[in-house]
Structures are given as structure tokens and as C-alpha cells.
Amino acid sequence: MQATVVRDASVRVIVGLEAAGRSRATIKRHQAEFNAFAVFLEARGGSVPTEVDCLDFIAERSGARLAGLREPTSCGRAQLARRPLLLLMEALAGGVPLVGQVTTPPVERCPARFRAVRDEYLGACRRRGNAEATVVSKMQAADQFLAYLEEVGRETIAEAQARDLAGFWARRQRRGYAPKTTGLLRSVLADFLGHLHEVGQIEEDLARRLPPQRYPRRGQSAPHPWTAGEVRRVLEQIDRQAAIGKRDYAMVLLTVRLGVRVGDLRRLELGWFDWRAETLALTQHKTGLPLTLPLPGDVGWAVIDYVRHGRPEAACRQVFVKHRYPFTAFGSSSSVGCRLSYYARRAGIVFGSGHSHGLHSLRGALAVAMLQSDTPPPVVTAVLGHAASTTTAAHYLRLDTEHLRRCALDVEDVLAAVQGARS
């Protein structure tokens, strides 16, 4: 009887995983854990499983003894065994398994004495219209600085001094973060400190004490030089039968065929497609300029396939959503861009040192393909949505090595010309 109850509950969990678009590998792994747990319970001969049974099973599978099902742990095997059991226990309790729920409660990193100050600042950010993803980034930066203030013995935010800021910044510099990461932290911290000074929480405007942070665009990592064969191999790795695969396939196609930026990709709405005219019209998030692109048939059908057969029911208007409860839009560009790297690894593509390889790098592949097919540069600029042709020239003309090779001068001709000029 007990085995039947567990199996029925596990079936409901599997249905929930399929509805959430989990991959076949994930579903297979959950099913294996359920089968092993059923055998474990039969050997015990007990009644309906309890949390103690779950903890004993996790210990047997991983060697890690947890005090509770939601206790944080660094043991990867314990995490793999615990997640299916959390869903199973919810199903046994008669509830709906919440696929994608947080396994452990979030850790509050802001000291208790400073939380009111931090929360008031985040409220001001939301009133200013900051996106929730931006608010989260600002919270993380504020938490780091406030934790440092507690570490150096500050009882109130009014006690913060310039030397505290200098000490915090020096510690960050010693950790060797990338210039872009440091620049982002500086920007957010300046906003936080400026707010504290404006509302009278601190007397001195400490934002003015932050060191200047410059990181030139030139010299940073160049995009990976994608070939048509590599792009084809990546697309072949995507499981288009799974809901997540349908989503990822449409996202990659929109980038590689139309050059849609990641920021616009995660904001994309169904109303921006004109299916009769076969166009995609949007206002670019980066430049604020309108852009209308032709919609190739394979791209359009990939979007339709995802919306009809892969996209879960979600309250947001965005086309592409996260496939975990509560099925909201992507919170940041990085959460979208990492999908390409995942499939590239499966395709066996090795990226060179210093080459960026997120979804944005596919814009470079599109630009090179258009230039090598002798597409006029103004057309390339229009398709990529650049505000000026100089942007296209600065970032993408240098990638078109075939045309650059034609511009190479013969060394002997140059030497002959120099010799003639001297004589």
C-alpha cells in the first residue's frame, strides 16, 4: 500500500516537471530517485514516509547528514537527492508540487541594524521606476557595504566615514574582480551613498570619495568568431521536443538570424510580431530607437512553436519566460545569455582565451556573414540597430578578416615605393 502511495505521488511530480518544461534528463533523474526511495521505504516496512525517512535516505545516498530537509548544504549529491523528495512530500501532502521552488530559505546578508535603511533605499529605487532586476543588484551592493560597516564596529549608518569606504574598496580591489564588475559596483554604491546623503542619513556625501573607475571598451574580450558550422552544431544540440528546447531554439535563431540584442530578447512581446507582413517591430532598449526587421519563416515558426506548444501559462506579456514556478520573465540579460554557452559545450566547441561567447557574440557572426556577402555597411548598421555607422565600423568591420585580407599591402611594393621616394 505504501509503495502505491509513493508511486502515485511521484507520477504527479513527473507530470508537474513535464508541464514546467523540464528536460528529459532531469525527469529521468527524478524518476530514478523516486524508484530508489520506494525501494528504501519497502526495506524499512514503515507507513507513509516522514521527514526522518527522507533525511535517512539522503544520508544513505550522499553520506551527508542533514538536520532538516531545507538545511543549506554544500554537498552536491545531497542537493540532488533532496530536491525530488521535497516535491514528493508536497504531493503526498495533497498539494501541487511547486517545480522550481527555492530549496533553502534565502540568506539575509544585511545586518539587522541596517535593514531599515537598506529597505528604505530599495523602496526609493522602486519609486524611481528601477526594474526589479536592478533593485536586486543594488540590494546586493548595499548589503556588502553594510556588512563591512558592521564588521568594523559601526553601530548606526550615521557613523559611516570615508575611511570605512576606503577600507571596503581596498578589500574589493585585492580580490581581483574584472574592471566591468568593479565599475558596476562603484556605480551602484555611488547611488546608495548619494541617497543616504540626500535623505540626511549621513552627513558627508561619501559618493564623492569613491575612486574614478574607467574601463575602456577597446582591449576587452572580442566576440568568438563563430562559423556557420559551429552555429549549426549548436542548433542541433537543442532538444526541440522539450518546452525549454523550443524556447532556447527560438531565442538563438532570433539572435543569429536577426541580431536581436539580449536585452530586447528578454523584453520581446507577441504584439511586436506582424505575422501578415512578416516583420518584427520593436523599440530598442539600448538606444531607444525604433527598429523593424524582416521575419524569416524559420524564425517565425520557431516562435510560434514555442508559444503554442512550449510556453507555460504566465501572467507576464513577454514571449520568453523562465520555466520554473511562478513562470515570470527573465530577470537579467545574463540569465538569457548563458543558454548559448550551455549548448556550445554540448557541441564540443572550445572558446579561445579572451573571447566572449554569450548570445551577444552571435551579432558579430551575423555582421560578418552580411559583410562577406557584400551587404552594404549602411544595411548592416540598420539591421544591427546601431545609432551610427561608426559603431558598426568600430566593433564589427575588424571581424571581417576576408575583406581585410584584400586590403593588405604587398611588403615589396611598400619597400619599393619608399625607396623611390627617397631617391
Side-chain angles (χ1 to χ4, degrees), residues 82-403:
R82 171 175 58 187
R83 190 173 296 275
L85 294 186
L86 284 171
L87 297 174
L88 182 66
M89 294 301 285
E90 288 179 355
L92 287 170
V96 177
L98 299 180
V99 178
Q101 64 177 311
V102 178
T103 303
T104 58
V107 178
E108 178 59 79
R109 302 187 182 280
C110 180
R113 69 185 67 171
F114 297 129
R115 285 175 196 168
V117 173
R118 191 265 324 257
D119 292 343
E120 192 277 329
Y121 165 65
L122 298 181
C125 293
R126 292 187 175 96
R127 290 192 295 273
R128 275 188 263 159
N130 288 168
E132 195 58 33
T134 302
V135 173
V136 171
S137 297
K138 291 185 174 182
M139 179 185 70
Q140 293 170 347
D143 287 352
Q144 292 176 35
F145 180 63
L146 294 173
Y148 180 81
L149 289 183
E150 184 184 54
E151 183 181 329
V152 296
R154 301 305 179 195
E155 295 291 335
T156 65
I157 193 67
E159 296 178 11
Q161 301 178 13
R163 64 180 182 179
D164 300 326
L165 181 60
F168 170 75
W169 197 255
R171 175 181 294 184
R172 294 283 304 185
Q173 293 295 94
R174 287 196 298 270
R175 293 179 180 177
Y177 289 99
K180 190 171 183 179
T181 303
T182 305
L184 177 61
L185 174 66
R186 186 198 181 282
S187 175
V188 173
L189 198 56
D191 184 68
F192 177 49
L193 295 172
H195 169 81
L196 293 178
H197 176 65
E198 182 180 342
V199 300
Q201 293 279 358
I202 56 176
E203 184 176 348
E204 182 184 359
D205 186 3
L206 294 179
R208 298 178 180 274
R209 297 296 193 103
L210 283 166
Q213 181 71 25
R214 298 192 181 108
Y215 47 97
R217 295 179 66 91
R218 294 179 183 273
Q220 289 204 354
S221 59
H224 174 73
W226 290 93
T227 65
E230 287 178 335
V231 173
R232 184 168 54 251
R233 284 159 54 194
V234 166
L235 292 173
E236 289 172 351
Q237 288 298 319
I238 302 177
D239 181 6
R240 296 174 61 188
Q241 301 303 313
I244 290 180
K246 294 178 187 294
R247 180 198 66 188
D248 294 348
Y249 185 78
M251 290 196 304
V252 173
L253 273 189
L254 279 164
T255 306
V256 75
R257 298 292 303 281
L258 301 182
V260 178
R261 291 187 180 93
V262 178
D264 294 325
L265 198 63
R266 68 186 183 90
R267 295 169 50 250
L268 210 60
E269 298 182 17
L270 204 57
W272 299 357
F273 292 89
D274 188 332
W275 303 109
R276 292 183 181 275
E278 297 182 349
T279 58
L280 169 62
L282 64 146
T283 299
Q284 300 171 87
H285 180 65
K286 182 176 182 179
T287 65
L289 299 176
L291 177 65
T292 301
L293 298 167
L295 188 64
D298 57 343
V299 179
W301 281 114
V303 174
I304 291 173
D305 183 38
Y306 170 62
V307 172
R308 286 183 176 177
H309 309 297
R311 186 179 185 273
E313 291 294 332
C316 62
R317 295 179 298 178
Q318 282 72 22
V319 173
F320 301 114
V321 298
K322 295 182 289 188
H323 281 231
R324 62 183 183 186
Y325 187 82
F327 310 122
T328 55
F330 285 102
S332 67
S333 298
S334 60
S335 59
V336 180
C338 67
R339 302 303 300 168
L340 179 64
S341 299
Y342 168 72
Y343 293 113
R345 287 195 301 271
R346 294 183 57 180
I349 297 173
V350 178
F351 299 109
S353 176
H355 282 166
S356 60
H357 47 269
L359 270 177
H360 194 82
S361 65
L362 289 177
R363 283 169 54 85
L366 174 63
V368 170
M370 295 176 69
L371 291 170
Q372 290 183 353
S373 62
D374 294 324
T375 303
V379 176
V380 179
T381 297
V383 170
L384 294 179
H386 289 154
S389 58
T390 53
T391 303
T392 310
H395 295 283
Y396 295 111
L397 289 182
R398 61 191 174 94
L399 302 177
D400 183 11
T401 54
E402 291 300 321
H403 281 87

Side-chain angles (χ1 to χ4, degrees), residues 40 44 52-66 77-78 81 85:
F40 175 83
R44 284 197 162 193
V52 174
D53 294 321
C54 295
L55 296 176
D56 291 343
F57 174 74
I58 294 171
E60 182 179 286
R61 299 283 280 182
S62 65
R65 169 63 64 176
L66 305 181
R77 189 66 191 88
L85 294 186

